[in-house]
Amino acid sequence: MKRLSPKFLPAILVMFLMSFSVLAQTKVGGQVSDAASKEALIGVSIAVKGKVIGTITDAKGNFSLSTSTPVPFTIVVSMVGYERQEIAISGNKTDLKINLKEQSVLGQDVVVSASRVEESVMKSPVSVEKMDIRSIRETPSASFYDALRNLKGVELVTQSVSFSSINMRGFGSNGNVRVVQMIDGMDNQAPGLNFSVGNIVGISELDLENVEVLPGASSALYGPNAMNGILLMNSKSPFLYQGLSAQVKGGFMDAPNRTVQNTPYSDISIRYAKAFNNKVAFKLNFNTLSAEDWQASDYRDQSLLNGRTLGLGGRSTNLAYNGVNIYGDETNVNMLSSLSDALVKDPNGALASGFNAISRATGGLLSPATILGYVIPNVNISREGYAERDLASYANRNMKFNAALHYRFNDKVELILQGSYGQGTTVYTGADRYSIKNFSMGQYKAELKGSNFFLRAYTTQENSGDAYATGTLGQIVNEAAKPSTSWYPQYFGVFATQALTNFGTVLGTTLAQTGNPTLAVGNAIATTQAAFNTYHNNARNTADVGRLIPGTAAFTNAVEAIKGKPLPQGARFLDKSALYHYEGMYNFTEMLDDKFEMLVGANYRVYALNSEGTLFARQDNGQEFSINEYGGYLQLAKKMFQDKFKLTGSMRYDKNENFEGQYSPRLSGVYTVGQSNFRASYQTGFRIPTTQDQYIDLNTPSARLLGGLPVVQDRYKLSGNSYTLQSVLAGKPEVYTAKAWKPEQVRTFEVGYKGNLGSNLLADFYYYQSTFTNFSAGQVVLQPSTTIVGSYNYFSFPSNVDNQVKTSGWGLSLDYRLASNWTLGGNISYNTVNDNGGLSNYQLAYNTPAYRTNITLGNRNIGGSGWGFSTVWRYQDEYVWQSSFVNQLVNQTQQSVIPSFSTLDAQISKKLSSIKSIVKVGASNLLGTAYTTGWGNPTVGSIYYVSITFDELLNK
């Protein structure tokens, strides 16, 4: 018997799938209208329940649908803002008259994220926040992504007008690796960074159907890194959202600290989708944003040297000045220690000879070391740096393109081919302030989706473009003008020569005049020390000869040359890392006669690192590393007690090639009584260390960043040859000894309530307690420099905390429907660290305000006039920010405080039905309160805008 050749299998599969389409067809059609106004509704979704087949109503509210689904079946009629209807179909029916009522009860949304199956948001087993199309359209924020901060328990850290990072339930960061962001099932992280770059290469607002946010551990269903939450953005299907839509948004940005206070802002989007015979559909999206970015201008002195504290200052008040957003001034060298070592190492040099000569002149009364202490102050010296605005690329440009082709083989199976590409320039705060110039990323997906399964494969291709490290650029500009190995000796030499000359002259003159050695020494010390400022100025002026001055051609040429060279010789970092992901899931519920739900899924992922040695360590063969990981999960759910109680349990196993396998169980229960839903859950999560946490090897202004794997750390011989920073600060240096490094784990217990308290009030509450094991925190060690005497090399890397770290928090939201369709809402969240694990040599980096609150007021259609209004007032507490960007001394002493602030956003809109458009005038941070959300991050001001949105399917 001949074997079937594998090359025929794809063709056979397609023929098999298409064969279902020739089954008997049932025709369903009719018209959908608004129950109150009786006007036809455009764009209403008509779907066969439990299948992928569906259509929408046309400009007259009519629809027509043919399906091979055996009768009887149910069609689901739905539209945002209206009550969902389910209608039983027993045969051909083409004259249905369907009247949809506006939602009169809050909380009627359906979500998928909490359990990977459709369910009411009211009955979700865990906390879920959702933004639907109307919420997205009516937000007063400049973008839907900025509006996420209005959700309960969600915090955004702003590093650029186009780049904010989402944080939930503590441990915030500029690139949060404990929160996963997904778009249409694809992990939106940049492979070389392991976090999502905001929405730079994300989704267009016109193509966004909804956003679902799950605060808390979600690893049981979504795998590694979903420790503190997950954000899922779902785009519009070209079958359900057809036609042309476009949006033009223009205005200006205002912030008092910028070089030009007011600058233009524009955001333009266009979308087109078309379906043919409910069989084939496609969509195209394009979006472009243009703005001059927010600027970081924190010039406080963060050196904490020479007796100075954190605060305003400059080089006139501190010779070791190190401004937060000044780059190139980070290196500090102690002049007394450096010259002392120089005298010891070169006892016959010119400097030593001078001290010896004066010592002999005193008849041995003063030793050379004593004279050194008189004429050389015990101070640290830093070089003059450059302001960020002289180095960074603030021309923020962003372009996104998306295309998708959908093909329905039959009522049950749909093929999706989708590609997204984004390119932009922005600024990101990591261990450095990175100018992400001409960064691009593409995501390309093929997915076979059925009514009870999906198979998905996608890849993410990253290209750092012309990105460079701004802080490193400042350092190298200084080094290019004059290396520090020359600059410091020149400075110290000039100072010491002038001070010693004056000391010797005054000493000799006074001795000759008085013959009193004591008086002569006293006069020499007094006059020499009185002239210290003059000597410092002369020393710096001499050492700074050849310094590159911003605005000059020499400075510009040097900057461009350094930006063009890859690290470590230059400031440019190269990253073309890629991610390859394969995933599948099958829902066995129907096969089990709906007695209980059963889901099984698995995935496989590969990270292919490629930074050409600028970010990641290389293998011995010169190649960079790749990382393989895989996982699988099982979920079971059962309704009990007359369907009033639903119990859900899931288990997941994941394995990364560099670490032991991880199990992630979850157990939850929801009990429903009338309109009230009580929930409780035990959730677990874990975080596989990021690609950078594992393999980075990058020198930054504050420290050399190293991966936590032995293959990286052993190259610098840190274990046994360095000291922990905290112990050095305490005056009791402890030798660092390496230990095993494991993935971080979290266990969370949560209880909550969601329900309607009457017909007009929706309440949602949660309380959680989390316990972190093998908590991953930053550790800093010091090694004496082998190139600059009196200086130290700092190394920062991830390491596990020995003890458990415990956190807790709660959140409450209330939404009330007032008279005349007005809505008033408010939410508050609280997060805190209960036990920091006894941290001493680590940086916890909780980076989260204790309290955050939002208050909203709005009306979508005031008195039926087409006018709409919404406003949001937001407040958050002050909190300490720790990161590798913060000066290490400030980090350890927890002085990096982010002040509290409040803002007010507002918008007013008008629907122009005759031209199928909505005009909106709005402002983000209407009152102009300047604020910052992270250490070294830019000062955020206001955005004032006017937008017009056209939608071919806009209803009256």
Side-chain angles (χ1 to χ4, degrees):
M1 181 177 177
K2 291 184 178 180
R3 270 190 188 174
L4 183 64
S5 173
K7 67 181 180 181
F8 295 116
L9 290 179
I12 293 174
L13 176 61
V14 172
M15 292 173 63
F16 173 74
L17 293 169
M18 294 184 68
S19 66
F20 286 95
S21 64
V22 300
L23 298 176
Q25 299 286 304
T26 300
K27 294 183 179 181
V28 181
Q31 186 182 52
V32 182
S33 305
D34 183 289
S37 67
K38 304 304 179 183
E39 293 181 345
L41 291 176
I42 310 170
V44 177
S45 170
I46 314 293
V48 178
K49 188 174 183 180
K51 309 299 178 184
V52 299
I53 191 73
T55 188
I56 60 170
T57 56
D58 60 19
K60 296 181 179 181
N62 297 322
F63 71 94
S64 178
L65 175 67
S66 294
T67 175
S68 60
T69 304
V71 293
F73 59 83
T74 301
I75 62 170
V76 179
V77 185
S78 62
M79 188 175 193
V80 175
Y82 287 86
E83 293 181 3
R84 174 181 170 127
Q85 287 191 30
E86 294 189 1
I87 301 172
I89 303 296
S90 57
N92 291 332
K93 186 71 172 176
T94 58
D95 57 352
L96 289 170
K97 297 294 183 182
I98 304 171
N99 295 314
L100 290 185
K101 297 179 180 179
E102 283 199 53
Q103 277 186 3
S104 57
V105 179
L106 298 170
Q108 300 304 301
D109 290 327
V110 173
V111 295
V112 178
S113 56
S115 304
R116 282 193 180 262
V117 294
E118 280 196 1
E119 61 190 352
S120 167
V121 69
M122 301 286 283
K123 299 180 180 180
S124 168
V126 294
S127 300
V128 180
E129 300 291 322
K130 184 173 182 178
M131 289 176 62
D132 60 22
I133 291 176
R134 289 193 305 178
S135 299
I136 295 166
R137 186 176 64 199
E138 294 158 7
T139 177
S141 299
S143 71
F144 82 89
Y145 205 87
D146 289 340
L148 293 172
R149 57 168 49 96
N150 300 329
L151 301 177
K152 179 173 72 270
V154 178
E155 178 190 354
L156 262 65
V157 177
T158 301
Q159 300 148 77
S160 165
V161 67
S162 62
F163 183 16
S164 294
S165 184
I166 293 178
N167 299 314
M168 291 178 266
R169 297 194 176 181
F171 306 107
S173 68
N174 290 308
N176 199 332
V177 296
R178 292 182 174 90
V179 174
V180 172
Q181 176 174 303
M182 305 186 79
I183 297 178
D184 291 336
M186 294 184 289
D187 191 337
N188 194 225
Q189 65 170 281
L193 300 175
N194 274 151
F195 59 83
S196 300
V197 190
N199 197 39
I200 294 176
V201 286
I203 191 169
S204 166
E205 189 168 309
L206 283 181
D207 195 40
L208 183 63
E209 183 179 40
N210 60 64
V211 181
E212 295 183 24
V213 179
L214 274 73
S218 305
S219 290
L221 288 182
Y222 293 99
N225 306 330
M227 290 191 68
N228 282 31
I230 188 165
L231 169 73
L232 296 101
M233 293 182 280
N234 303 301
S235 69
K236 297 174 179 176
S237 166
F239 284 111
L240 302 180
Y241 297 88
Q242 298 182 36
L244 177 68
S245 54
Q247 182 183 81
V248 177
K249 184 182 298 181
F252 67 93
M253 298 166 56
D254 177 273
N257 71 313
R258 299 200 302 165
T259 307
V260 179
Q261 181 168 338
N262 299 313
T263 57
Y265 171 88
S266 69
D267 189 354
I268 301 171
S269 302
I270 187 168
R271 178 184 187 272
Y272 182 75
K274 179 67 175 176
F276 302 93
N277 298 323
N278 207 29
K279 197 76 174 174
V280 180
F282 74 92
K283 65 178 179 180
L284 299 171
N285 287 280
F286 177 79
N287 170 250
T288 179
L289 180 146
S290 177
E292 295 302 309
D293 220 332
W294 305 123
Q295 296 184 7
S297 58
D298 186 349
Y299 301 140
R300 287 177 297 169
D301 182 7
Q302 61 174 347
S303 70
L304 304 188
L305 296 172
N306 299 337
R308 300 294 300 181
T309 58
L310 178 67
L312 296 176
R315 210 158 303 281
S316 61
T317 56
N318 182 11
L319 295 167
Y321 172 76
N322 177 8
V324 176
N325 292 124
I326 302 291
Y327 309 123
D329 61 354
E330 295 82 10
T331 301
N332 286 277
V333 179
N334 185 277
M335 184 160 64
L336 179 61
S337 297
S338 181
L339 289 174
S340 296
D341 290 340
L343 292 178
V344 172
K345 292 180 179 179
D346 189 11
N348 299 316
L351 189 62
S353 298
F355 280 99
N356 291 331
I358 294 177
S359 176
R360 288 193 298 271
T362 66
L365 179 64
L366 298 178
S367 67
T370 302
I371 298 171
L372 181 70
Y374 288 147
V375 302
I376 304 298
N378 184 17
V379 295
N380 287 73
I381 307 295
S382 68
R383 300 186 66 169
E384 186 173 354
Y386 298 93
E388 179 177 300
R389 64 183 54 176
D390 295 324
L391 302 169
S393 296
Y394 282 143
N396 197 299
R397 305 292 183 265
N398 184 209
M399 180 272 292
K400 293 191 284 279
F401 177 77
N402 167 271
L405 176 66
H406 293 231
Y407 179 78
R408 287 174 173 169
F409 292 99
N410 50 58
D411 292 2
K412 294 185 177 182
V413 181
E414 182 177 333
L415 175 67
I416 303 172
L417 300 176
Q418 180 174 323
S420 299
Y421 176 83
Q423 184 184 61
T425 295
T426 186
V427 183
Y428 154 63
T429 312
D432 202 328
R433 280 280 284 171
Y434 297 101
S435 287
I436 311 297
K437 186 177 181 181
N438 298 327
F439 171 87
S440 65
M441 193 172 86
Q443 288 198 290
Y444 310 98
K445 178 183 76 169
E447 180 174 359
L448 195 63
K449 183 173 69 173
S451 56
N452 58 354
F453 78 94
F454 71 80
L455 293 171
R456 180 184 300 141
Y458 65 88
T459 180
T460 303
Q461 303 289 321
E462 174 190 350
N463 189 328
S464 57
D466 301 315
Y468 61 93
T470 307
T472 300
L473 174 61
Q475 286 187 326
I476 299 179
V477 168
N478 264 340
E479 296 299 313
K482 185 176 293 184
S484 291
T485 50
S486 300
W487 191 91
Y488 281 105
Q490 193 169 27
Y491 185 113
F492 297 162
V494 170
F495 187 100
T497 299
Q498 294 186 1
L500 189 60
T501 299
N502 182 82
F503 187 89
T505 300
V506 174
L507 179 67
T509 301
T510 307
L511 272 174
Q513 293 175 349
T514 67
N516 187 335
T518 302
L519 179 62
V521 170
N523 284 346
I525 293 173
T527 58
T528 300
Q529 293 184 354
F532 274 178
N533 285 340
T534 299
Y535 304 152
H536 278 301
N537 290 335
N538 294 339
R540 187 171 294 276
N541 289 337
T542 301
D544 273 349
V545 171
R547 171 177 163 79
L548 298 170
I549 307 300
T552 64
F555 175 83
T556 301
N557 292 338
V559 165
E560 292 304 316
I562 296 167
K563 285 160 58 175
K565 295 179 182 178
L567 295 163
Q569 289 76 25
R572 183 183 180 188
F573 65 88
L574 306 173
D575 189 14
K576 297 180 181 179
S577 298
L579 178 153
Y580 302 91
H581 185 92
Y582 312 91
E583 183 180 5
M585 187 273 287
Y586 194 90
N587 188 339
F588 288 91
T589 303
E590 188 175 349
M591 294 177 60
L592 298 170
D593 297 326
D594 294 325
K595 292 181 179 179
F596 60 90
E597 295 176 6
M598 178 178 175
L599 277 68
V600 177
N603 70 273
Y604 178 75
R605 176 175 292 188
V606 178
Y607 292 96
L609 304 184
N610 179 14
S611 69
E612 299 184 22
T614 62
L615 291 177
F616 299 108
R618 297 180 188 267
Q619 303 180 60
D620 293 337
N621 62 9
Q623 300 296 313
E624 294 185 24
F625 295 84
S626 63
I627 306 171
N628 300 294
E629 58 187 47
Y630 61 87
Y633 60 90
L634 167 68
Q635 175 172 287
L636 301 174
K638 174 69 175 176
K639 290 183 178 180
M640 297 175 278
F641 310 120
Q642 291 81 46
D643 291 346
K644 291 184 178 181
F645 179 73
K646 184 177 181 179
L647 180 67
T648 305
S650 57
M651 173 64 75
R652 184 182 179 98
Y653 174 80
D654 287 272
K655 178 71 174 72
N656 179 287
E657 65 175 288
N658 293 323
F659 302 94
E660 295 181 355
Q662 303 291 314
Y663 289 95
S664 304
R666 183 177 83 164
L667 184 66
S668 64
V670 180
Y671 185 71
T672 301
V673 181
Q675 294 294 314
S676 294
N677 302 273
F678 302 87
R679 62 181 184 267
S681 65
Y682 167 74
Q683 305 173 64
T684 59
F686 71 98
R687 183 167 73 88
I688 295 292
T690 67
T691 54
Q692 290 196 21
D693 278 351
Q694 294 181 52
Y695 289 113
I696 195 171
D697 187 351
L698 175 65
N699 198 22
T700 73
S702 60
R704 176 175 284 277
L705 306 184
L706 295 180
L709 294 175
V711 69
V712 181
Q713 288 197 15
D714 290 350
R715 298 176 182 183
Y716 294 90
K717 298 185 170 88
L718 297 181
S719 185
N721 295 289
S722 60
Y723 304 91
T724 62
L725 175 60
Q726 191 69 22
S727 67
V728 171
L729 294 177
K732 299 178 180 179
E734 296 178 3
V735 175
Y736 164 71
T737 302
K739 61 182 180 180
W741 185 41
K742 302 176 181 178
E744 183 178 302
Q745 298 173 321
V746 64
R747 302 189 308 275
T748 300
F749 293 92
E750 180 177 332
V751 294
Y753 168 85
K754 192 160 193 170
N756 288 302
L757 306 178
S759 59
N760 294 321
L761 179 62
L762 174 66
D764 188 8
F765 172 79
Y766 66 79
Y767 172 81
Y768 73 91
Q769 289 185 337
S770 294
T771 301
F772 292 82
T773 305
N774 300 323
F775 184 83
S776 185
Q779 182 162 17
V780 181
V781 299
L782 286 74
Q783 274 186 342
S785 172
T786 58
T787 56
I788 301 178
V789 177
S791 181
Y792 288 89
N793 294 326
Y794 289 78
F795 295 86
S796 178
F797 50 85
S799 183
N800 295 132
V801 175
D802 294 328
N803 302 323
Q804 293 181 336
V805 173
K806 298 181 179 180
T807 65
S808 65
W810 54 266
L812 171 66
S813 65
L814 297 171
D815 294 286
Y816 189 75
R817 188 187 298 276
L818 302 168
S820 302
N821 211 32
W822 286 88
T823 57
L824 175 66
N827 63 64
I828 183 171
S829 59
Y830 174 80
N831 300 278
T832 189
V833 177
N834 304 107
D835 186 345
N836 72 352
L839 291 182
S840 58
N841 292 328
Y842 301 88
Q843 300 162 5
L844 183 63
Y846 191 62
N847 299 348
T848 301
Y851 287 97
R852 293 188 72 258
T853 188
N854 297 280
I855 298 176
T856 63
L857 176 67
N859 191 322
R860 294 188 173 102
N861 188 8
I862 302 173
S865 64
W867 287 94
F869 170 81
S870 64
T871 185
V872 180
W873 178 80
R874 183 173 60 256
Y875 168 82
Q876 71 176 45
D877 271 348
E878 74 171 25
Y879 61 101
V880 174
W881 183 276
Q882 291 181 306
S883 72
S884 53
F885 180 80
V886 183
N887 175 278
Q888 298 300 334
L889 299 177
V890 175
N891 242 341
Q892 293 294 339
T893 52
Q894 299 191 31
Q895 297 186 51
S896 42
V897 175
I898 307 302
S900 62
F901 67 88
S902 62
T903 63
L904 179 69
D905 299 347
Q907 67 87 10
I908 186 168
S909 61
K910 171 63 175 176
K911 181 184 289 189
L912 305 175
S913 300
S914 60
I915 59 172
K916 297 185 178 298
S917 299
I918 297 175
V919 175
K920 181 164 71 172
V921 179
S924 174
N925 193 9
L926 177 63
L927 303 181
T929 304
Y931 65 92
T932 185
T933 57
W935 190 262
N937 280 356
T939 298
V940 180
S942 305
I943 300 179
Y944 304 91
Y945 64 88
V946 178
S947 71
I948 181 167
T949 304
F950 169 83
D951 188 344
E952 191 176 339
L953 299 183
L954 184 69
N955 284 289
K956 295 181 181 180

